[in-house]
Every structure is written in structure tokens, then in C-alpha cells.
Amino acid sequence: MLAGVPYEVRAQDEAAAPQSQPAPTPAPEPAPRPSTDTIRTISVAGAERLEPSTILSYIRLRVGQEYTSVAADQALKDLGATELFSNFSIRNDNGNVVITVEENPVINRIVLEGNDRLDAEKILPEIKLAPRQIFTRSKVRADVARIIELYKRQGRFAATVEPKMVQLPQNRVDVVFEISEGPKSKVRQINIIGNEKFSDGDLRGEMVTKQSRWFRFFSSNTSYDPDRLAFDQQKLRQFYLTEGYADFRVVSAVAELTPDQEDFIITYVVEEGERYQFGDVEVESQLRDFDSDSMSQRLPMQQGDWYDAKAVEDTVEQLTDLAGRFGYAFADVQPRFDRNKDELEMNVTFILREAPRVYVERVDVNGNTLTQDKVIRREFRLSEGDAFNSLGVQRTTARINSLGYFQENFEVNQVEGSAPDRIVLEANVEEQPTGELQFSAGFSSIEQFILAASIRQRNFRGRGQTIGLSVNYSQFSRSAQVSFQEPYVFDRNISAGIDIYRRDFNSFNFQGQDRNTTFEQATTGFSMRLGVPLTEYMSLVGSYTLNYDEVSLDENLFFSDLDGDGVRECDPLLAGRFLCDALGDRLSSIVGVSLNYNSLNSRIRPSRGRLITLTSEFAGLGGDVRYVRFRGRAQQFWNVANSGFIFSLLAEGGTIIPLQDRGGPNVDDVLLTDRFFLGEPQIRGFDIRGVGPRILTQPYVTDEDGNRVPITTRRQVRDDALGGRNYYLARAELEIPLGTGARELGLRPSVWVDVGALWGIDPPVLQDNPNGIQQQDSEGNPIFIDPDGNLTLNPLQPDGTPNNPAIRPNSAIREVFLGDSPSPRVTAGIGVNWNSPFGPFRIDFAQTIRKVEGDDDKTFTFNVGTQF
């Protein structure tokens, strides 16, 4: 049957009834005329995509029924309910019913116009209309309302949506939603009525929603959100409950559009009620391992303290955790309140309900496709058959999170086992990529132009191994390194690793603001390490390092023919004796041991926990250098009152003790290349190597009176950092949380104070030559210049006139030794970390509070495209 051809259903005649014997046949009566109220046929006209039989199945009219206006109206309602037709009608022609329809078009595509603030990828999944579906007006209306709702959640309450339909051939249409987004609706004012104990400002500070002000341009909390309005009411209640107002309630919260229809004014009406104190506070324990009286004495709140609902919640959590540590996995701790309104006291009883001791029945690991089961299971602090311990579960969660192989905020699930005293621990993981391929380029105030490339796999072959290759290049340093780390050697809790590297470093000094390359140090070597755990948080790591160092100077700049024999040597006047002393090739064989304590909650961005490292190194197991070096570092993080403010303290220090006598007074027994250096970026507010012992080389000039005087202007003085044997460094930093918008940009501002010092080398012999140093020959005889400019050993001319001494170039200098002091240098400032599209970015503004003569301070520093 072809679509569009009228479809007809006809009544069939009844079959004649069978007769047992012939009988006289009466004369036939004339057949009655069909009634016009009885349906003889039903046909469909206008159908294109739908089969007529399908259309007839939607209505209740049938052949043989009586045709009435009520039945026709019901059929029209049934056709309208299908939402398949844009127009339809029913006509009765003497029992021949004709249903005429116009089908709704098919949607070809959905087009969004004007949506600049909300991407199409966020709108299209939320609407019902889609290509190849039937167009209906009800769906269009619903989609318009949904799009407007999406914009309201973005704070744009003035948004409007105008749907349009573009007719196409073959009964197809394009649906176009023309969107006028309008301005973002802000919260212009928050009014609070009924508060007497706390000011409006105090209460607004507890709310997530903030009033729109110019200084909150980064915050997204200034836009109006009905869900946030309800959340703020809860925040107000929590605040008053922590302050003792147990009867507090929010009477009403109303948000009104301003007359210009752009912003909102929110008004809260509150009832504060009376302030309560704690009455009798006790613990009622039904667990045999806990004594009610002794636990009651250890409760943080006492009778007479102001009532604090947050303290009650924290106590419930602490008691639950304590029960979990003793193996009661499903211990139920319920606070019972008895409010005495006459005395304004709140009596609280913490009830520890009886629960069986629980044991671990099974450990299940699910969801890992690449990572081997053993990599996850070895991080569990509980095994099958162990008594349940909530501390062990928490530590397991932290260790698996620290792997970095799985989803953020992973948690070990606790599921009831086959018996009441059995529990199943489930690790339902979602693997994430662990390979890293990075290319970066940037500019640093320290290194100038920087290029870096690295490739690393942190879960090689799903075994938890780390393998990596990195290459770095800048104006003053170049390096290449291959590394491998195995956290569990032979499936034992022993870690091992090796690094093979080549590092070329160009040291430099400052001539005023100009940076000049001095010595070049090329290091080729490898380092091996082996670590064993001592406790859950503490480990011991042994290491061996073998370095071959090549230290050289530019002979064209720093070498001279000192003896006149044609052999060029390092000139102490040009390079300084400390640089000439560092030249040469040497082999360093270093054995080290480190004691590490790590309880940080995150390796990337910790907010609580402690990190302590103590390291000692001995150089002298073969090789050319002999020393012992000790270093220590301790760092602590706090999340201040869970407010998002992260406070950290850092203390660091080190010393190096020489084990060889390099000969002669005023010659330090620790080579320049083995000493500590301090400055940017370790202590902000000072230049690179800007803290500690240094020599200032001041050239002599002749003044207006003919006197020889040294230049003391820093721009014209050569500044060489010498390093030191001892150093210390301390830092206090407070990271400030910003609004959601700033967090999405990766902005993390902080305020900080840095303290540090570097000192402890043997003072070098200093030069002070106002008139310069006379040149000598290879035998030490002084050299003179005759009137013709020729060099001669004769101090007199033929007529007896003295010849002028031959003065070595650049030898009229004065050397000043400064900065060798343990006195603390103190700086303070503000900084911002930004995870920019170009790579990590750090900017700091510093103010030097205390320094020592000779130190190079610096106000502004930044780094882009390199780790910091």
C-alpha cells in the first residue's frame, strides 16, 4: 500500500447460516438503507512518512461504530496528543470518514546563534530537539526554557531565546535558536534584617555569595545563583550554631531584580535567639574497649563553654575514627541533645553504640586495565585477615593517591562482608594517562631564554616503574639526563634508581648590570640510590655518585704571559685567584645517606603534612676531592581552619667540612665548585648568588687633583661570588585562596618572608695596587719601557734618565672582601603562581628588610616556561 493513497476499510457481509433441511423460502424483504451515522469506511489523506494504518492506530474510531461529534472530537484530541502533525481534520461523508493530516517536518539541524558566553557543546546536550527527529512546538518551548535556565545558572537572567524555523525541501526544517545573552546579573546588595549580635559585614563574610565590587573582578561568586542562595542560608545557620545560638533560624530569603533588570538585591530576615552554653557533656559507651568516664574527661568541650555545633560534629568524627582504629568499622556515634531553655544550657551525651569488632575478609581491586594488581595491593596497609583499622584505610587511600596513576580523590570503599564481623575493602580505580611528553620555551630573569624537552612514563609497563629522558638548554646551562626508578625491587619494599647525566654550566659575574661568563664547568656522571622503609612515614636512602668535572676559563679573556716565556697562564688579576685555583679536571666519588620523613597529603600541591630530609655525603672513596657535607631540610604545611588558606614553614641548612689541606694560607680547602651558593631563587629579594662572600674588584682612576682613587660605583665594579661552607634558609608563606574564576585560571597568590645567610670561607689575599703592578720576565726581573715604547730590562736610559716601569694592563685595582657573615638577611614580599598556557609562571615583588654590605638585592623576579 502506497503512502498518500486513501486507505479504506469496508464492512463484510455476514455468512449465511447453514440449514438442516430445505424449507420454503419467504419472499425477500428490501435491504435497509445504510444510516449516515454509521461508519462505513475510514481513509487517511496527506500522509507522507507515516503509514495510514499507523495513523489509524492512534484514534478510537472503527468501522461499524456510530459516528458522533463526541467521537470525532476525541479522535482529534488523540491525533494532537501524538505531536506528529502540524494540522489535521476529520470529515464525514455519509459514513465515509476522511482524516486529513499535515505531518510535522523532520529536523535537519539545530543552529545556535549569539551564544558567546556559553559554548554549543554545553547547550546541545541539554536540549531535546536533535537532527532527524520530528519537529514539535512543545519540544521547542521546552528547549527554549532549558536554554534560559542554563543562562540563569551562569547569572544571566536577562537572557532571551527566539526560536525560528527555516523551511527546507522534502518537509525538512532547520531550527535556529537566536540567543540574546544579556549582561551577567550581579548581586548588587545583600541586606540582613534582625541581626543584633553580629554585624552585616561579619555575616556577609560567612556567605559564599559576595556583593559585586570592583576589586572582585576575578570572583564568580558575585553572580546571582538560586542554589547558592539556599546554601548561604545553611552557612548562616552553621555560623550561628558555632557561636552558641541554637535557636537561630532564617525567617525568609528574598532575591529581587533591580529596576534596571540587571542586578539582584538579596534580603535575609533572621531570628538570632538566645546564646547557649554547654551543660553536662559526657560519653556513654557501649563498647567494651572504651571507658565512659575517662573518655568524658578528654572531651574538648567543658561545662560552661559557649555551645559550638561544629565542635560537636568534630567530636563525633574523632570518636568514630577512634573506634575505627580499634577495629570497630561500623561503630555508631550519636550525640543526644537536651536543651534547657530556662538555664540556656545544652546538655550533650555522645553515645557509642555497641558494634562487633571487624576483620578484613577480602581486598578487591577493580578497574585497572594497564596497572598490575600488585602495584595497587602493595600500597594497602591492611591485608586479608587483619583486624580492621580506619587509620590503615586512610593511609592506604593516601598512598594510592600519591601514585598519581588514578583518578583524583580516590577512596577505598568499605563494604559489608559475608558476616557481621567481616568487611571487604574495594579499590575501584579509574586509570589516567601516566605518560608525559613536554616541550617548553620561555624567558627567565635568571637563565634568559630557555628551551626544555622531556619524556617520562611514571607507570612503565604497568609495573609502577618510572623511566624518563630530559634535555634543557639556556644561555648559561645545558643538560641531558636519563633516569630509571624501581619502587619495589624483586617485589620487596626496596626502591632503587639510577640517573646518567651530562651538565654544562657557565658561571658568571656582574660588571654593573651586565652578566659576564667566567668559568665553564662540564660534569659527566651517574648517581645510584637504594632506599628501604623504616616506618610508614620514614625511609632510609643510600646513594653513590661519580662525577667527572672539567673546569676551564676563556684563555683570551683571563690568561696572560705572566713570566714572559711565551706560556699563557691564568692571570689572577684578570680572573681572580679563586677562579685560577678552581681550574682543572677532577674526579669526585661521593657516598651519601638520607633519612626522609614524609607525611604530606599531596606531592604536587600539599596543604597539610610534614617533610623532613637529613642528608650526609662523603667525598673521598677514591677520586680527587675530600670532604664531608651535611644538609637538612624540614617543611610543614597547614590548611588554616579548612578555610583554603595554606600556611607553610621551611627550614633548611647545610655545612661542608674539608678533609684535605690544599696548601698555603688564605687558600680555602673547599674548591669553589663544591661550595654552597645562595640567592635567587632560594631566597627571594636577592639576585642570583647575591648573598654571601664575594670579592669586589674596583679599578683605580685619576681624579681632578691627580690622585689615584678606586671606583666604588657598583655599575663599574666587578662582582664575583665565592660561595660558602655554611648556609641556612628559612621561609614562612601564606597562600591566599581566590574565587572560582581565579582558581580556574590557575592563580595562587601568596605573601612570604625569607631569611637566610651564607658564610665560612678562608679570606683570600687581597690586591691593592693604586699604580698597577710592574711586569716581570721569566726570571722575575722587572721590565721597563724606553722612550721609544720598547720593553727593556734596563732601568736607565743611556743619558741616565730613568725608564718608566712597564705596568701590567688592568692591574691598578683594589679588591674588597665582603659578605662573609652569618648575620641573617631578611626579605618579605608577595608572589603569584600562575599555570599559564605558556607553562608555569611565577612573579615576586620583594622588599629587602635586612642585608649585609656586599649583598645584591633585587625587587622584581619572574620565571616563565620552567619549573620553580
Side-chain angles (χ1 to χ4, degrees), residues 35 149 173 194 286 296 298 329 348 515 518 535 604 606 664 673 696 772 789 814-815:
S35 173
E149 179 64 24
V173 292
Q286 300 176 1
S296 298
R298 292 182 173 85
V348 183
R515 182 176 298 164
T518 54
T535 67
I604 301 173
T673 53
L696 304 182
R814 180 178 72 172
E815 293 181 335

Side-chain angles (χ1 to χ4, degrees), residues 522-590:
T523 301
T524 305
F526 69 90
S527 176
M528 299 185 299
R529 56 196 172 276
L530 194 69
V532 294
L534 302 180
T535 67
E536 179 62 28
Y537 301 100
M538 190 175 296
S539 61
L540 186 68
V541 179
S543 64
Y544 175 74
T545 302
L546 185 67
N547 289 333
Y548 181 70
D549 294 310
E550 302 170 86
V551 181
S552 60
L553 284 171
D554 189 338
E555 296 186 5
N556 295 324
L557 296 178
F558 300 105
F559 278 50
S560 300
D561 184 2
L562 300 179
D563 299 331
D565 58 359
V567 179
R568 294 173 61 83
E569 303 176 26
C570 182
D571 190 338
L573 291 176
L574 299 177
R577 278 170 305 285
F578 54 90
L579 281 186
C580 292
D581 182 60
L583 294 181
D585 300 342
R586 60 186 64 93
L587 188 68
S588 299
S589 178
I590 307 169

Side-chain angles (χ1 to χ4, degrees), residues 55-73:
I55 297 174
L56 292 178
S57 68
Y58 294 141
I59 63 177
R60 304 177 189 178
L61 296 179
R62 296 292 182 269
V63 172
Q65 292 181 352
E66 183 179 0
Y67 180 87
T68 64
S69 59
V70 175
D73 289 342

Side-chain angles (χ1 to χ4, degrees), residues 395 398 537 597-603 605-612 633-640 642 645-650:
R395 185 58 184 164
Y537 301 100
Y597 178 88
N598 188 343
S599 63
L600 298 180
N601 65 334
S602 172
R603 295 179 183 178
R605 189 188 173 193
S607 60
R608 63 178 180 272
R610 181 177 303 149
L611 177 64
I612 301 175
R633 177 185 176 94
Q635 196 167 13
Q636 176 77 45
F637 292 86
W638 295 271
N639 190 341
V640 183
N642 294 321
F645 287 87
I646 299 175
F647 180 68
S648 63
L649 289 176
L650 167 70

